[in-house]
């Protein structure tokens, strides 16, 4: 997606409830109990975003800021603004070609490094022990940091087992606080686990109202792997921002389709990383902790599942 189309895409909520009242306090009551998904805690800074506990004990913000397709000054400004309104989880990848700009945005924000949770990923071309090690050092340099909070294998292609061996070593050295995977199916996870010594903490996948990946979600939960949603709004595809079922639910809570979607992810224990270049939308996306979806509303959203990827170009 180029920048022009990206701007058009991210302008998608102009028609929504501009009069929504944003609460200033967070009610931290996930739909399922802590026993199902791990403890929920507040970040130890000014952010109001609650955290989830990963399988190695690390706390990860349950809502973060995605940077896919963001470039140059737009990326730098957006990252700095996202941090300024309360985001602490920033997600990027070497494939995005924006790690330098993400790093500049982080520096511009003025927030201490230890208060942030930075994620990056190894791309397919860098799969394998030696290549992955070089790719990791390159990402650190571009992001201007000496460690990552989470490092993921972007796709299960090439010598990803060699990449994982390298990641395990860096994890033990403390250069990565948690290691994980992205776009892995349960079968691919099992293949990795045939050689892995450390279990992945996260599996970042496409998951949203229209492609809920219920089997993967259940499988990963059973194995203690946190699901993280890229494109939690399906980038507006299939009319998510105008979907009537989501709008009807939102009307009851004075919330937008976007907020209902994020709340649905949150109550399922799924970490979400929405992306936007508009500060108003950044704030809107954060204001999901002052209401709770009922069981019937959760079921209504569950019924929207088409079980078909909305990103065929990625499959």
């Amino acid at each position: 997606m180029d920048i022009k189309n990206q701007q058009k895409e991210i302008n998608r909520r102009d028609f929504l409830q501009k009069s929504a009242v944003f609460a200033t306090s967070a009610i931290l009551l996930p739909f399922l109990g802590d026993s199902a998904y791990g403890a929920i805690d507040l970040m130890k800074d000014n952010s109001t975003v609650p955290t989830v506990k990963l399988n190695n004990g690390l706390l990860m913000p349950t809502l973060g800021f995605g940077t896919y397709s963001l470039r140059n000054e737009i990326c730098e400004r957006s990252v700095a603004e996202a941090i300024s309104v309360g985001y602490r989880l920033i997600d990027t990848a070497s494939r995005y070609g924006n790690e330098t700009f993400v790093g500049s945005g982080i520096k511009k924000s003025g927030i201490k490094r230890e208060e942030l949770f930075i994620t990056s990923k190894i791309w397919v071309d860098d799969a394998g022990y030696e290549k992955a090690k070089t790719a990791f050092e390159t990402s650190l340099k571009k992001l201007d940091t000496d460690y990552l909070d989470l490092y993921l294998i972007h796709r299960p292609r090439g010598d990803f087992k060699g990449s994982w061996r390298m990641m395990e070593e860096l994890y033990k050295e403390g250069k990565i606080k948690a290691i994980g995977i992205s776009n892995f199916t349960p079968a691919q996870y099992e293949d990795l686990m045939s050689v892995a010594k450390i279990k992945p903490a996260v599996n970042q996948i496409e998951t949203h109202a229209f492609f809920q990946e219920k089997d993967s979600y259940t499988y990963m939960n059973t194995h203690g792997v946190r699901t993280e949603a890229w494109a939690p709004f399906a980038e507006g595809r299939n009319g998510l921002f105008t979907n009537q079922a989501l709008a009807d639910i939102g009307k009851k809570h004075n919330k937008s389709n976007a907020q209902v979607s994020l709340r649905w992810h949150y109550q399922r224990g799924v970490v979400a990383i929405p992306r936007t270049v508009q500060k108003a939308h950044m704030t809107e996306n954060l204001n999901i902790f002052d209401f709770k979806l009922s069981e019937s509303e959760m079921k209504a959203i569950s019924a929207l599942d088409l079980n078909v990827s909305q990103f065929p170009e990625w499959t």
Side-chain angles (χ1 to χ4, degrees), residues 110-172:
I111 295 295
K112 295 179 181 179
R113 171 64 182 91
E114 59 268 26
E115 295 180 5
L116 299 174
F117 191 105
I118 303 175
T119 301
S120 194
K121 313 175 190 74
I122 302 173
W123 183 239
V124 176
D125 295 345
D126 296 315
Y129 182 90
E130 293 297 338
K131 285 186 176 180
K133 193 169 186 178
T134 299
F136 173 76
E137 294 297 336
T138 299
S139 289
L140 285 188
K141 184 177 294 185
K142 289 183 176 180
L143 287 164
D144 193 21
T145 184
D146 56 3
Y147 72 95
L148 289 179
D149 297 277
L150 178 64
Y151 200 41
L152 307 176
I153 294 177
H154 208 149
R155 286 195 167 273
R157 296 175 185 169
D159 182 18
F160 61 84
K161 294 178 181 178
S163 298
W164 191 255
R165 182 163 58 91
M166 181 279 299
M167 292 163 65
E168 288 180 328
E169 290 183 7
L170 293 180
Y171 172 74
K172 291 176 182 178

Side-chain angles (χ1 to χ4, degrees), residues 1 20 35 64 79 87 90 96 112 120 126 136 156 160 172 188-189 197 202 244 246 266 286-288 294:
M1 183 184 296
S35 60
V79 168
Y87 291 89
I90 306 297
Y96 300 169
K112 295 179 181 179
S120 194
D126 296 315
F136 173 76
F160 61 84
K172 291 176 182 178
Q188 290 163 336
Y189 168 85
K197 296 178 180 179
V202 170
Q244 193 59 52
L246 295 176
Y266 173 66
L286 283 178
N287 280 281
I288 64 165
S294 67

Side-chain angles (χ1 to χ4, degrees), residues 226-240:
R226 180 72 54 174
T227 296
E228 182 177 16
W230 60 259
F233 301 143
E235 292 188 359
R237 297 186 185 191
N238 199 44
L240 185 141

Side-chain angles (χ1 to χ4, degrees), residues 17 40 45 48-49 54 61 71 74 104 116 135 156 168 181 195 202 209 212 216 229 237 245 249 293-294 304:
Q17 304 160 325
I40 304 294
D45 54 32
T48 58
V49 177
L54 302 182
R71 298 285 192 281
I74 291 177
S104 296
L116 299 174
E168 288 180 328
I181 53 181
V195 299
V202 170
Q212 298 179 19
S216 176
R237 297 186 185 191
I249 293 172
L293 298 174
S294 67
L304 296 176

